[in-house]
Amino acid sequence: MHLPHQREHEEFHPLGMAQRQLRESVERLGLPDEIHAKLAHFKRIVVVAVPARMDNGCLEVFTGYRVQHSMERGPCKGGMRYHPAVDLDEVCALAMLRTWKAAVVNIPYGGAKGGVDCDPQQLSRGELERITRRFTSELVEVIGPEKDIPAPDVGTDAEVMAWMMDTYSMNRGFVVPGVVTGKPLAIGGSAGRSDATGRGCVCILEQALAAMERLRPGLKVVIQGFGKVGRATARLAAQAGFRVVAVSDVCGATQNPHGLDIAKLEAYAEEHGTVAGFPEGEDLERDQVLLLPCDVLIPAALEGALTGDNAEQVQAKLILEAANGPTTGEAEAIFAERCIPVVPDILANAGGVTISYFEWVQDLQAYFWSEEEIHQKLYQVMTQAFGDVYCISEEKKLTLRQAALDLAIGRVAEAQALRGIYP
Ligand code: NAD
């Protein structure tokens, strides 16, 4: 199915960018047109009305989406985003990326993404729960542990996953922990899930710097976004010996050239709802963080942070995409010209889907592993994936993104060719 909604400029048209990346990879790999045609389409697109009673007694109707891109290698898997800018174009692009991401780390999943066009910052927990329960009820027939397994993303958290799991279970008539991942531990969550994406980012960062012979203690790191991914990345990067010199969130930014104390910054952000005003840092304009001199820039907020407008002024020596789709095609071309490597999202932030996979496996077998075991397994998967991608990029003289896409798309295409077309 092609999409009803097209954004005009590819810079702000995530699906156009995802389709272009697919086309280019198909050409490099020499795949047949019919494989490309199937990969370029979406298995299922579901758009639902989500009516919910607000605390003031009024009814509001939101729009909910779930897009399943591919089930060639296993059930679909992907996050649920609650954000006012959620639309079909964005959800489709992220669903396609999700297919490639699972394939890069060689996990037996296809890709999906979903969300609701609401602003969680303006909603009470009660309103959020009612929206989540109605949205999940609308999706009962299309999600499930063997079909499609949601997870947290921007604007959703472990509690939202608990409501989804409960709503699905009530509809089925029995407990189904494996319907979502990123749940609280007490109801079938996995040890290590809350900081999984950040842990994977730091693991890939160390591997990338080591492979490029640039790994040294005290390298300066700047992070855009201080949510689930940004916080964990900042904390674990600091623990690994990096100096996190600036951090931003949607409301502002703070910097300290000697390195921010991340534990104190987390406590401050928890209390004040933002990193701005942190007493041990100096405030700066939010988007200025992207342009600070540093060794590593880690965008960990939303898509389209690095564009043709700001890429020339970026002073980082390496970019690691903790967020999904933070670099537009124009920005990527500028970074390539300036010899600034970009470690792509589908590799850098794949720690989340990897530990989600571990959570699902544990739920299905009702047998849980220790945190140490999880960290060790995560390290193995991420190291293998980085090695695979880096080898392809060196051998074929490709960027890390091209190499990661070729690895992933080659794997999905192989599965598709082996399965053939039903009936
Ligand atoms: P979140 O909602 O927990 O945090 C988002 C953060 O970005 C917040 O701190 C917010 O204030 C900040 N932000 C928003 N707009 C900003 C702007 N213009 N400038 C600076 N900061 C801004 O979301 P999250 O789960 O941390 O996800 C962040 C990114 O990582 C998204 O792209 C998401 O798709 C991706 N991701 C998340 C996971 C996961 O496990 N949660 C896994 C893989 C990828």
Side-chain angles (χ1 to χ4, degrees):
M1 189 191 299
H2 277 297
L3 288 167
H5 176 196
Q6 298 278 309
R7 297 186 201 194
E8 277 173 12
H9 196 295
E10 194 206 83
E11 277 248 282
F12 305 101
H13 178 16
L15 184 61
M17 194 162 103
Q19 294 282 18
R20 177 180 53 73
Q21 288 173 347
L22 168 63
R23 212 168 39 243
E24 290 170 0
S25 175
V26 162
E27 277 168 23
R28 280 193 299 275
L29 293 168
L31 295 172
D33 288 349
E34 59 181 49
I35 295 266
H36 179 212
K38 188 130 185 285
L39 295 177
H41 282 71
F42 292 83
K43 176 161 181 68
R44 185 176 288 126
I45 295 179
V46 181
V47 182
V48 295
V50 184
R53 188 72 63 194
M54 297 290 105
D55 290 347
N56 64 8
C58 294
L59 182 83
E60 273 197 43
V61 186
F62 302 91
T63 305
Y65 305 90
R66 188 69 183 169
V67 173
Q68 298 170 342
H69 172 242
S70 159
M71 289 190 182
E72 300 296 350
R73 303 177 78 247
C76 287
K77 180 96 188 77
M80 287 293 196
R81 180 173 291 194
Y82 287 5
H83 190 276
V86 164
D87 66 15
L88 198 48
D89 182 288
E90 177 187 79
V91 177
C92 284
L94 292 170
M96 187 181 276
L97 269 186
R98 218 38 176 65
T99 302
W100 314 146
K101 193 181 300 182
V104 169
V105 282
N106 213 3
I107 275 172
Y109 281 144
K113 197 80 181 186
V116 179
D117 64 346
C118 64
D119 185 355
Q121 304 229 333
Q122 306 301 321
L123 298 168
S124 68
R125 289 313 275 183
E127 290 168 338
L128 205 58
E129 177 173 357
R130 291 193 287 281
I131 290 169
T132 300
R133 288 190 181 279
R134 178 58 187 253
F135 178 44
T136 310
S137 299
E138 296 291 342
L139 297 181
V140 159
E141 294 311 324
V142 295
I143 60 172
E146 328 74 14
K147 292 184 197 171
D148 180 2
I149 307 127
D153 190 69
V154 174
T156 55
D157 56 18
E159 196 176 13
V160 171
M161 292 304 115
W163 295 326
M164 282 193 174
M165 180 271 219
D166 183 68
T167 305
Y168 183 85
S169 298
M170 288 298 111
N171 273 270
R172 284 282 173 254
F174 48 91
V175 186
V176 190
V179 64
V180 294
T181 59
K183 302 176 290 295
L185 271 179
I187 54 170
S190 174
R193 175 60 184 89
S194 56
D195 62 10
T197 307
R199 188 172 295 277
C201 284
V202 175
C203 173
I204 293 288
L205 176 59
E206 287 180 313
Q207 313 249 341
L209 290 166
M212 294 166 193
E213 296 176 358
R214 295 187 195 174
L215 186 58
R216 296 187 311 277
L219 288 179
K220 284 194 276 178
V221 172
V222 168
I223 302 179
Q224 182 208 32
F226 204 58
K228 294 180 290 298
V229 176
R231 280 175 202 217
T233 305
R235 188 185 332 116
L236 294 163
Q239 280 170 18
F242 294 94
R243 206 158 19 122
V244 181
V245 293
V247 161
S248 67
D249 61 27
V250 71
C251 304
T254 183
Q255 65 175 340
N256 183 334
H258 305 294
L260 293 157
D261 182 325
I262 303 301
K264 285 189 187 162
L265 184 60
E266 281 195 79
Y268 177 87
E270 199 59 45
E271 191 184 337
H272 296 85
T274 174
V275 296
F278 181 52
E280 293 183 18
E282 184 195 327
D283 276 10
L284 72 162
E285 206 250 306
R286 185 188 76 186
D287 296 339
Q288 207 54 37
V289 290
L290 299 169
L291 312 180
L292 290 176
C294 61
D295 296 291
V296 184
L297 172 62
I298 305 185
L302 295 174
E303 300 92 271
L306 300 168
T307 67
D309 289 338
N310 61 12
E312 288 288 3
Q313 290 107 58
V314 167
Q315 298 185 63
K317 300 187 184 95
L318 175 83
I319 293 163
L320 182 112
E321 294 184 331
N324 285 314
T327 312
T328 66
E330 278 186 39
E332 178 115 29
I334 294 170
F335 294 141
E337 223 169 79
R338 296 181 57 207
C339 298
I340 302 174
V342 178
V343 185
D345 44 12
I346 57 171
L347 173 63
N349 70 30
V353 67
T354 304
I355 292 196
S356 276
Y357 167 63
F358 297 158
E359 178 174 337
W360 176 77
V361 169
Q362 292 170 87
D363 286 338
L364 293 186
Q365 62 186 3
Y367 180 74
F368 291 84
W369 310 335
S370 70
E371 186 155 2
E372 201 186 357
E373 222 174 328
I374 302 265
H375 289 168
Q376 195 191 338
K377 286 179 172 24
L378 174 72
Y379 183 80
Q380 272 170 6
V381 171
M382 300 305 284
T383 307
Q384 177 74 45
F386 180 80
D388 292 347
V389 170
Y390 193 70
C391 264
I392 296 174
S393 86
E394 288 288 288
E395 258 173 37
K396 303 204 169 153
K397 304 280 168 257
L398 298 174
T399 65
L400 290 170
R401 188 186 314 280
Q402 289 167 332
L405 284 166
D406 286 6
L407 175 66
I409 291 168
R411 283 178 174 156
V412 182
E414 184 189 0
Q416 194 177 296
L418 287 167
R419 287 181 58 172
I421 303 294
Y422 174 85

